[in-house]
């Protein structure tokens, strides 16, 4: 079955996210581990998380995906901002290990803000080495970025460099965001096979653990990060049909981060289920 869901708000609790997912035909979802702009994490009620685990089992959910606050910048030039990123990462991974073991934790590699790509990558590697260790239930995923400003991670080579330099690369993986890679200049519309071949030879498709499904408001290679609804952007519906059915991708979990409320997500999920080939 197609494992698909969308980003849901954590504010009403874990079990409620599971119920919302069910109500829109989703079998997985993504959630922020805390306020998306950073800040303190609310303590998770273990009974609430256990109730969600039961719901997931009863309804054959795929694994979920946790997303770090998007304002974290692990490669900032400011050591205080970097140590805040380290602290958030440590707390969130610890929490996930306990309440939802096996749920990957997705992060944006960050922006090097003038220090240069190499210095940025070194900071990210240093941060990852504080939490990634063998046998940890929580895998950390690096998201492919659009390359706006001084973002790290818009080239497959940059993600491969991070993975190649950490002490325990087996604890890492990648989440591919369709809007971001298209904006970064990987043509998943007219050459999906070619892009996946590049991904495979530079990073390895075995490291790909999740897909963010977003259309893009801006043109190919624009290096912008503006999500559009599925079929309403420069990527277009036909490309998504090929993406979700691609033999190398079809069994991965897909997460919509499109500009929608629940009814819009329900519509996109049913549109995509209708074109997924059994
Ligand atoms: Fe993201
Ligand atoms: Fe994304
Ligand atoms: Zn984005």
């Amino acid at each position: 079955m197609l494992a698909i869901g969308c980003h849901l708000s954590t504010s009403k609790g874990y079990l409620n996210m599971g119920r919302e997912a069910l109500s829109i035909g989703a079998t997985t979802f993504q959630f922020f581990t805390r306020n998306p702009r950073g800040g303190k994490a609310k303590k998770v009620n273990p009974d609430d998380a256990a109730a969600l685990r039961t719901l997931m089992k009863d309804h054959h959910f795929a694994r979920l995906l946790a997303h770090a606050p998007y304002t974290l910048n692990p490669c900032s030039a400011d050591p205080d901002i970097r140590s805040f990123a380290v602290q958030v990462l440590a707390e969130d991974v610890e929490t996930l290990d306990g309440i939802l073991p096996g749920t990957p934790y997705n992060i944006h590699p960050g922006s090097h803000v003038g220090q240069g790509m190499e210095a940025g990558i070194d900071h990210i590697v240093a941060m990852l080495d504080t939490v990634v260790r063998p046998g940890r239930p929580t895998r950390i995923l690096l998201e492919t970025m659009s390359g706006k400003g001084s973002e790290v991670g818009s080239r497959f080579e940059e993600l491969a460099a991070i993975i190649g330099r950490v002490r325990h690369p087996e604890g890492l993986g990648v989440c591919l965001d369709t809007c971001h890679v298209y904006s970064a200049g990987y043509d998943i519309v007219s050459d999906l096979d070619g892009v996946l071949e590049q991904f495979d030879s530079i990073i390895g498709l075995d490291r790909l653990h999740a897909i963010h499904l977003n259309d893009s408001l801006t043109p190919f290679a624009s290096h912008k990060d503006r999500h559009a609804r599925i079929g309403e952007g420069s990527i277009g519906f036909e490309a998504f049909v090929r993406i979700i059915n691609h033999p190398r991708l079809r069994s991965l979990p897909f997460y919509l981060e499109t500009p929608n409320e629940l009814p819009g997500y329900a519509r996109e999920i049913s549109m995509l289920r209708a074109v997924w080939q059994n």
Side-chain angles (χ1 to χ4, degrees):
M1 201 174 57
L2 175 64
I4 188 166
C6 65
H7 186 90
L8 293 174
S9 160
T10 321
S11 61
K12 284 178 260 153
Y14 281 70
L15 177 59
N16 270 317
M17 286 191 285
R19 288 180 177 145
E20 274 183 352
L22 278 179
S23 78
I24 56 172
T27 46
T28 181
F29 60 87
Q30 173 179 267
F31 61 100
F32 282 126
T33 49
R34 61 180 76 206
N35 185 309
R37 287 181 189 80
K40 266 212 152 11
K42 263 207 310 209
K43 235 193 152 10
V44 182
N45 172 354
D47 295 337
D48 185 26
L52 170 61
R53 291 200 305 271
T54 304
L55 176 146
M56 288 175 62
K57 224 193 203 147
D58 290 349
H59 297 275
H60 310 287
F61 270 41
R63 62 176 155 68
L64 307 181
L65 181 59
H67 197 307
Y70 51 72
T71 51
L72 281 201
N73 189 5
C75 57
S76 168
D78 180 341
D80 288 341
I81 294 177
R82 291 204 303 273
S83 68
F84 178 68
V86 169
Q87 186 198 323
V88 167
L89 185 73
E91 280 177 22
D92 284 359
V93 171
E94 181 86 44
T95 303
L96 287 172
D97 282 351
I99 60 158
L100 289 165
T103 303
Y105 183 72
N106 178 61
I107 66 169
H108 294 179
S111 299
H112 65 69
V113 280
Q115 303 167 92
M117 193 55 74
E118 282 304 300
I121 288 174
D122 284 343
H123 289 318
I124 298 162
V125 169
M127 175 187 75
L128 291 170
D129 276 338
T130 66
V131 288
V132 180
R133 52 175 182 266
R136 253 204 128 141
T138 306
R139 180 186 299 280
I140 297 187
L141 305 187
L142 305 168
E143 182 167 348
T144 60
M145 303 309 292
S146 63
K148 64 179 184 304
S150 61
E151 254 173 9
V152 180
S154 68
R155 306 298 312 162
F156 295 160
E157 287 82 358
E158 294 160 14
L159 298 174
I162 297 170
I163 295 167
R165 287 186 214 172
V166 297
R167 226 174 295 133
H168 302 293
E170 66 277 20
L172 286 178
V174 172
C175 170
L176 185 146
D177 185 308
T178 54
C179 166
H180 298 175
V181 290
Y182 193 61
S183 287
Y186 292 101
D187 194 353
I188 53 172
V189 174
S190 44
D191 189 19
L192 178 61
D193 279 326
V195 172
L196 293 178
E197 268 161 41
Q198 273 190 73
F199 188 102
D200 198 30
S201 69
I202 297 167
I203 299 175
L205 276 169
D206 54 328
R207 295 212 187 275
L208 183 57
H209 289 263
I211 311 263
H212 283 168
L213 271 189
N214 303 305
D215 212 326
S216 174
L217 272 184
T218 58
F220 176 63
S222 60
H223 299 286
K224 297 256 169 50
D225 182 359
R226 305 277 311 281
H227 301 187
R229 296 196 180 102
I230 301 300
E232 296 182 11
S234 56
I235 297 178
F237 190 68
E238 285 312 308
F240 288 103
V241 176
R242 290 191 291 273
I243 290 167
I244 61 170
N245 284 296
H246 195 283
R248 307 296 299 269
L249 307 177
R250 55 184 284 113
S251 54
L252 289 169
F254 296 94
Y255 304 90
L256 298 160
E257 300 175 309
T258 46
N260 274 307
E261 303 293 332
L262 287 179
Y265 281 130
R267 204 176 323 115
E268 288 185 348
I269 290 169
S270 79
M271 263 163 45
L272 291 162
R273 287 203 188 284
V275 294
W276 194 73
Q277 287 138 19
N278 269 305

